Amino acid sequence: MSLLTLLAILSLASQDPATNMNVSASPFAGFETRELANGLKVWFKRLPDDPVVTISVALPFGSDRDPPGKEQLAHFTEHMLFSDQPGRSEEEIRREIEELGGVYNASVTPDRTFYYVHIGAEHVDFALEWLGRIISPHAMDAGVVEQQREPVALEVGARPRQFIDWLWAYYIYPPALRTPGFWQREFGIEAAASRDYYPYASLHRITSEDLRRFYDEYYVPSLMTLTVIGDVDRREVMQRIDETFGSLPQRPSPEVSVTLNDPGRYRQTIFWPYRPNVYYNLRFKFYDPSAEDEVMLIFISELLGKRLNDQLRFGERKATYGIGVGIIKRGPAAYLTIRGGIKEEEFEFARSVIEAEVEALRVGSMDIEEYEADRDAVTRQLIVTNSTSEDLERWVRTYFYDRRVHGDFPDLVAAFETVTLDDVQRFVSERFVAERQVLTVWYPNPISQGILLVLIAFLARFSVIGMRRRLIRPIDMTRIRYVARFRIPPLYLLAAALIILLLLAVLLRGLAYGIQVMVEGFLVTVDSFIVQWSVYGALLAAGVALVLVAMSRVPRKLLLFDDRVLIKYQSYRSVEVPRDEIEELSLCGFRAVWLTSRIRKCVPLALGATAPAIYLRHRDGWSYYFRVRDMKELLGLLGVKDSEAADPEDVQGPT
């Protein structure tokens, strides 16, 4: 189907319903498109014998427009429009429509805001006036803002952060160390997940002025699409629209364009979690799809969905309960997804069927009669499943909400009926290319949880044994003369422990970030359980080794032999200092060590502020500053007399 042909089909929507007799069986036919003087676009369709009329207003923006630090602003604005009207309380506004049997609501997603009213056709005039008041400019009264802050907070689960929340926000998952999510990695769209998202603080930063500014910038008629569907008189409805929505003030449209980034590469990610079956998700990305592209994508998703389920769910081999094929949009970005849970033993068969079906569309190898039968079947299903005003409204909310893309309401039935196999082949061969595919597969883990725990324990134990053998050096204990534990003041020990823990925390978080980048950038792309889990095992072993190495840097006690001093550490490590290689052995106070060059390359285990401590320096420059239970006895064993221990200045405390 050529572009001109498809445009001609889409333009049927703007014609008078009476002229569209050739597509009268299509529920999508007969939509009239009209633009008001203020720029607001109206889609109207008379649907005979439908007792419910649906009225909706769509805007092509949403939470992606929330400024940093004031997330939930778009959502907060939606709440305010239902509650901030002079002379009416929120309860009175609600009762006005509900007492007539009407149902109303609104939704805010990253790229759209959607308001709707469903009501009996006899109340269409009032419903238009009511929704027009909702959408019209609001004062954003400060008192009403405070009243609505709590309902929004309750809806999104906002609460003040506690210790664990702060730890998560600024250590475990800080914005600076977050790797790009799907939308940012594949399309270059920054999502709120990449920010320091704190909904409680954000909501309490939002002011009346913020809400007015947000409304004035984005709630402009030239961005809005008003859709009315039901068994109502066109002339009366249009007159009422002019009186209500036509009175909205005209304002310039904001710049809401999004610059997309195409990485131009195929990406696959493979996982082995504990799940009952294989979960498969194949995505084909699209950048700035046109209205014609989206119509073709909708057709292909319906066609593929039918064909895949015919073979994998209803065929002889029951490989799945169902394969879903759909389209996900976010502003100018979109992807078609083929996904579903598949029996593990049937996965290779199911995957081959999926790949074969996509390839058949890409090369046009499908039997023409079979194709036409399937096309007619999905077209008939489209007619049956879209017979009411509420059915048709869902298409506006899901696909046709951006008036910059969809000028007229697409007649999907007419488009489906005229799509040939050649049209599909041309589209798929050009757009379903390898460099725009993202495949994610979750396989069931082949190792039971019990066995996995045993393997983890074994690996941890093996790592400890390996590090022990590497760190331990044999010592002849028969000639030991003295053992003394280092005595560290509690406050000094606490301060040192806090500093060490802080440094370790920074180091470990940096290592964790590096591991995360490696895992997401490389490891999960490898389709091999052995490779992936071998690397995870190596990381576990390295983690155990790092803990032992850290502990092996914390001195614990001193062992004295005839010819050497041995410094014993917390885990499997000791440092020998031969007696003839001791350059300095003295009793020093705080000032003599902490305020001089002696502190360089020193392991300070004492403060020396209230009493002097032993300073022992090796020939290589490394030294230890420490206290033991009996300082005099140790010095005597080391051959240092009281008169030689230190001069008077050395033993003074800090001035």
Side-chain angles (χ1 to χ4, degrees), residues 585-587 612-616 624-628 631 634-635:
L585 182 63
S586 59
L587 198 63
I614 297 173
Y615 180 79
L616 185 155
Y624 297 86
Y625 186 54
F626 61 92
R627 289 185 60 82
V628 296
M631 302 279 289
L634 177 60
L635 287 171

Side-chain angles (χ1 to χ4, degrees), residues 42-69:
V42 178
W43 278 340
F44 172 77
K45 177 180 173 64
R46 184 169 183 271
L47 198 62
D49 302 323
D50 193 323
V52 176
V53 61
T54 62
I55 307 169
S56 64
V57 174
L59 298 97
F61 71 87
S63 57
D64 278 346
R65 295 292 153 186
D66 291 341

Side-chain angles (χ1 to χ4, degrees), residues 40-41 53-63 72-85 93 97 103-109 111-119 127-128 130-138 140 152 211 214-216 218-220 223-229 245 248 389-390 392-394 396-398 401:
L40 185 142
K41 186 180 72 175
V53 61
T54 62
I55 307 169
S56 64
V57 174
L59 298 97
F61 71 87
S63 57
Q72 298 296 331
L73 181 55
H75 185 195
F76 205 151
T77 304
E78 174 247 305
H79 273 250
M80 288 298 297
L81 297 195
F82 281 116
S83 56
D84 179 40
Q85 291 184 16
I93 296 169
I97 200 73
V103 177
Y104 73 94
N105 210 332
S107 61
V108 177
T109 66
D111 68 333
R112 74 203 80 166
T113 303
F114 193 81
Y115 296 83
Y116 70 85
V117 175
H118 299 168
I119 201 166
L128 282 167
W130 184 88
L131 189 57
R133 278 192 278 116
I134 295 296
I135 298 299
S136 63
H138 286 55
M140 305 298 179
V152 178
L211 292 160
F214 192 86
Y215 176 91
D216 290 341
Y218 296 110
Y219 280 72
V220 297
L223 286 177
M224 297 180 183
T225 300
L226 169 65
T227 306
V228 182
I229 308 170
F245 290 89
L248 294 174
S389 59
E390 293 171 79
L392 295 171
E393 181 193 70
R394 278 193 289 270
V396 182
R397 181 172 65 244
T398 307
Y401 53 87

Side-chain angles (χ1 to χ4, degrees), residues 184-231:
Q184 186 173 357
R185 183 180 63 244
E186 302 298 334
F187 294 97
I189 297 177
E190 180 189 0
S194 63
R195 306 176 184 174
D196 177 21
Y197 176 47
Y198 182 11
Y200 181 84
S202 297
L203 285 172
H204 283 79
R205 292 190 194 106
I206 294 173
T207 65
S208 299
E209 181 59 32
D210 293 325
L211 292 160
R212 282 193 295 270
R213 188 183 304 113
F214 192 86
Y215 176 91
D216 290 341
E217 183 172 2
Y218 296 110
Y219 280 72
V220 297
S222 57
L223 286 177
M224 297 180 183
T225 300
L226 169 65
T227 306
V228 182
I229 308 170
D231 191 3

Side-chain angles (χ1 to χ4, degrees), residues 218-259:
Y218 296 110
Y219 280 72
V220 297
S222 57
L223 286 177
M224 297 180 183
T225 300
L226 169 65
T227 306
V228 182
I229 308 170
D231 191 3
V232 291
D233 182 82
R234 175 195 176 279
R235 189 180 303 277
E236 293 179 2
V237 166
M238 290 300 179
Q239 181 179 348
R240 196 62 169 165
I241 288 173
D242 287 335
E243 296 169 355
T244 54
F245 290 89
S247 64
L248 294 174
Q250 183 177 9
R251 296 191 302 278
S253 299
E255 288 292 332
V256 291
S257 61
V258 177
T259 302

Side-chain angles (χ1 to χ4, degrees), residues 83-93 96 129 133:
S83 56
D84 179 40
Q85 291 184 16
R88 289 184 175 89
S89 67
E90 184 179 6
E91 175 65 15
E92 290 171 333
I93 296 169
E96 284 179 335
E129 188 271 335
R133 278 192 278 116

